Amino acid sequence: MSSKLHRLVANLGGVALAVQAVPALAQLTASAPAMDASGPTFADIADLAESAGLVVKAQVRKMVRVEDERAPGRAPGMGRFYVTAQTRALIAGKAPIGESLVYLVDLPLDSRGKAPNLKKQDVLLFARAVPGRPGELQLVTPTAQQLWTDQAEARVRGILKTLLSPDAPVHITGVRELLYVPGNLAGQGETQIFLNTREGAAASITVHHEPGSPPAWGVSFSELVADIGNPPQPETIEWYRLACFLPNNPPPRANVSEGIEDAVRPMPTIARFWANSAHAAGRSGRVEPGRREVSPMGSAKVLEFRRGLP
């Protein structure tokens, strides 16, 4: 495709972002649950579950505040705590853990600079084992601790079951190609969006265009044909893979349709799809799709903070 055509397609796509969303494509977000400020979202839990080698149910026995000068990297309004806990159950993971656990966690502080009192409360920990130290955990993020409830545990177990299944949806890393094929009637056609995946496996989005009808779309995470008209439902791993890991905009050079007309025709639909994907990512709790930082606090820091603590 010529550079002139690339600019034309990009410009049309930008204009289309301001157009009202097509109902069929908006299904990715129309029934997406609003963010609940009182707890983690589905995307938060999926992020943590994918990063954690261990998911542990534990009961907090003791919390000691770490001096702020010894706790760099905290978010505003957060304090760092050295926690001693009793193991209640190993929900996921194969590494051996002790009956008693210690770890560092960042907790929100109130107007008096106090953290919530979690003593004797059960929590879910998303962590990694420390080699050679079965009684010590590294949380996968500074806040990777969730208050335990029956509902919270059931949600985590459901996510883990899908993530660990042999047919779990592959990881989306980008877009390889966009291709529009016109149909026999005016306004009829099909857009294929071929996705890159971390595993190198096939994945694609298919959008059907029919004159007088809103576009219908579906996704396939394998070589099989997409289930058109049945896009992923909110709070599923398939939905999470798309909503949180599609790029913010379609790549400008991905459109490989033949001819100017075929290249330009699907761009308003594709642009609206991307706008809705970004909206879904925001409503699923992700600030920026595919950019979640997951960096554990190392065991060296646990040992450092342990020194001098009562």
Side-chain angles (χ1 to χ4, degrees):
M1 210 186 305
S2 68
S3 59
K4 182 177 180 180
L5 178 56
H6 280 303
R7 288 194 296 270
L8 175 60
V9 170
N11 290 339
L12 285 174
V15 171
L17 288 173
V19 179
Q20 182 178 0
V22 173
L25 297 181
Q27 290 180 56
L28 186 63
T29 59
S31 55
M35 288 182 63
D36 181 359
S38 64
T41 66
F42 182 93
D44 292 323
I45 300 302
D47 281 341
L48 294 173
E50 284 215 290
S51 303
L54 296 170
V55 180
V56 181
K57 178 184 176 183
Q59 185 176 83
V60 175
R61 294 299 178 89
K62 188 176 181 180
M63 295 170 50
V64 178
R65 175 79 180 269
V66 177
E67 297 175 357
D68 288 348
E69 57 269 23
R70 300 173 65 192
R74 291 171 296 106
M78 305 290 282
R80 187 159 296 162
F81 292 82
Y82 177 81
V83 179
T84 303
Q86 190 74 21
T87 302
R88 299 291 295 268
L90 179 61
I91 295 174
K94 298 181 179 179
I97 58 174
E99 292 185 4
S100 181
L101 303 170
V102 296
Y103 59 92
L104 293 170
V105 64
D106 287 3
L107 297 172
L109 305 176
D110 62 19
S111 58
R112 299 173 301 164
K114 301 292 186 180
N117 183 10
L118 301 180
K119 190 173 181 180
K120 296 186 179 180
Q121 291 202 46
D122 288 345
V123 293
L124 294 173
L125 306 175
F126 299 86
R128 297 186 178 102
V130 179
R133 299 192 181 97
E136 199 169 294
L137 296 180
Q138 302 172 13
L139 298 188
V140 295
T141 71
T143 59
Q145 171 182 278
Q146 179 187 1
L147 285 175
W148 178 89
T149 64
D150 285 328
Q151 295 80 3
E153 181 175 334
R155 189 187 203 191
V156 169
R157 287 184 180 276
I159 290 172
L160 287 167
K161 181 179 179 180
T162 303
L163 289 174
L164 298 175
S165 68
D167 57 348
V170 293
H171 296 75
I172 303 302
T173 60
V175 173
R176 187 172 77 252
E177 292 178 347
L178 309 175
L179 175 65
Y180 176 75
V181 179
N184 296 324
L185 303 176
Q188 187 181 63
E190 181 178 280
T191 301
Q192 290 273 3
I193 305 172
F194 298 99
L195 305 174
N196 288 321
T197 66
R198 189 172 75 187
E199 296 84 350
S204 63
I205 297 166
T206 303
V207 185
H208 278 185
H209 314 266
E210 291 290 341
S213 300
W217 69 280
V219 62
S220 172
F221 289 95
S222 68
E223 298 285 355
L224 299 177
V225 177
D227 187 7
I228 305 301
N230 292 297
Q233 294 300 304
E235 298 213 353
T236 62
I237 296 300
E238 292 83 358
W239 172 79
Y240 164 72
R241 292 280 190 246
L242 292 180
C244 296
F245 294 96
L246 279 175
N248 289 334
N249 295 289
R253 296 184 179 277
N255 198 324
V256 296
S257 305
E258 294 185 2
I260 294 178
E261 183 179 354
D262 288 347
V264 170
R265 184 177 298 171
M267 289 311 295
T269 293
I270 293 168
R272 285 192 293 268
F273 175 82
W274 251 270
N276 282 308
S277 298
H279 180 57
R283 293 187 66 178
S284 67
R286 303 298 295 269
V287 177
E288 186 179 1
R291 299 293 191 273
R292 177 70 55 95
E293 293 287 342
V294 179
S295 54
M297 294 187 287
S299 58
K301 291 188 177 181
V302 176
L303 293 173
E304 175 189 346
F305 290 127
R306 177 185 290 173
R307 297 189 185 98
L309 294 177

